[in-house]
Amino acid sequence: MRIKKSDFVTSAVKKNQYPIDNRAEIAFVGRSNVGKSSIINALTNRNKLAKVSQTPGKTRLINFFIINDDFYLVDLPGYGYAKVSKSEKESWGKTIETYLTSREQLKRVVLLVDSRHKPTGDDILMYKWIKHFGYDVIIVATKSDKLSRNELKKNEKIIKETLELTSEDKLYFFSSVSKDGRDQLIDNLFLEFATDID
């Protein structure tokens, strides 16, 4: 499929601020510095759709973007950033939890991990939590342009072992810089939720 149109719709903290239509939603979640905004911009081919910050942990709201007037890509607040207060962390956690446990329109969760590093304890908890609630989950390892082919193979094994992935679990590597495999990744993440396929 081709992403012909992508627009920011709204930011939300509470349930009554979510969009009220029944379009399917695919949520992106990951650590604060995993490159979530960059991958959203790369997939939609819009440099400033999602705001890229030099300060990890800046996204504190749930951001809804409508794709092809068809379904929503949902950007969740990043987790695991140390330089915020405990109460702030709890607030963000509650925001994420409320969305993930109460949103019928949510059809898939894309968990982003850094391809260069072993998944953190927070990544493992998030993955297990998503699986526990029965969501379809896809893992995308970001920043793959920073690794050699041998390193990619080695880190793929580490990620699979750390998250205890099965052969049925889907793991993709992607670089927001090179955008190699962009069209294939778009199909893997979004195709089944698109009604207008080109």
Side-chain angles (χ1 to χ4, degrees):
M1 66 166 275
R2 279 173 49 212
I3 294 180
K4 304 173 190 173
K5 187 179 178 187
S6 53
D7 293 296
F8 170 75
V9 175
T10 191
S11 293
V13 176
K14 300 174 183 175
K15 288 168 70 172
N16 62 6
Q17 298 169 323
Y18 301 163
I20 57 173
D21 56 44
N22 282 317
R23 290 181 172 94
E25 295 174 4
I26 298 100
F28 280 44
V29 66
R31 288 204 322 278
S32 297
N33 57 351
V34 78
K36 198 149 39 69
S37 298
S38 295
I39 193 173
I40 290 170
N41 292 339
L43 292 176
T44 57
N45 228 8
R46 289 189 57 188
N47 291 336
K48 296 181 180 177
L49 182 65
K51 291 176 183 172
V52 179
S53 171
Q54 298 305 313
T55 309
K58 189 127 189 209
T59 303
R60 304 178 186 191
L61 305 168
I62 298 173
N63 293 312
F64 291 81
F65 304 93
I66 192 161
I67 308 297
N68 292 349
D69 291 325
D70 204 6
F71 60 89
Y72 288 105
L73 189 164
V74 184
D75 181 15
L76 298 177
Y79 56 79
Y81 188 56
K83 293 183 181 178
V84 294
S85 68
K86 187 179 176 187
S87 62
E88 218 167 1
K89 278 185 186 175
E90 288 173 355
S91 171
W92 296 357
K94 196 72 182 165
T95 299
I96 296 172
E97 185 180 352
T98 299
Y99 173 75
L100 290 176
T101 56
S102 66
R103 192 63 172 162
E104 285 183 19
Q105 290 91 331
L106 178 60
K107 305 302 180 188
R108 168 171 291 160
V109 181
V110 180
L111 174 63
L112 304 179
V113 297
D114 191 325
S115 66
R116 302 169 298 173
H117 306 297
K118 180 178 178 179
T120 66
D122 286 331
D123 291 328
I124 296 166
L125 279 174
M126 180 57 72
Y127 176 71
K128 287 183 176 176
W129 195 88
I130 296 166
K131 293 285 274 189
H132 172 75
F133 282 97
Y135 289 113
D136 178 31
V137 57
I138 290 177
I139 295 110
V140 176
T142 62
K143 308 182 184 182
S144 62
D145 59 290
K146 299 182 186 295
L147 297 175
S148 68
R149 190 170 293 183
N150 283 342
E151 288 171 328
L152 279 172
K153 205 72 189 162
K154 179 181 145 200
N155 286 18
E156 180 181 10
K157 186 171 185 284
I158 290 169
I159 291 168
K160 285 181 174 178
E161 287 177 351
T162 304
L163 295 177
E164 298 179 356
L165 303 186
T166 69
S167 57
E168 294 178 0
D169 291 315
K170 300 181 185 93
L171 168 64
Y172 302 101
F173 283 79
F174 185 71
S175 162
S176 300
V177 176
S178 70
K179 297 185 185 177
D180 287 342
R182 174 182 171 270
D183 293 343
Q184 182 189 8
L185 185 60
I186 286 171
D187 284 349
N188 290 330
L189 297 182
F190 304 134
L191 186 60
E192 67 193 84
F193 304 107
T195 56
D196 179 19
I197 299 170
D198 188 351

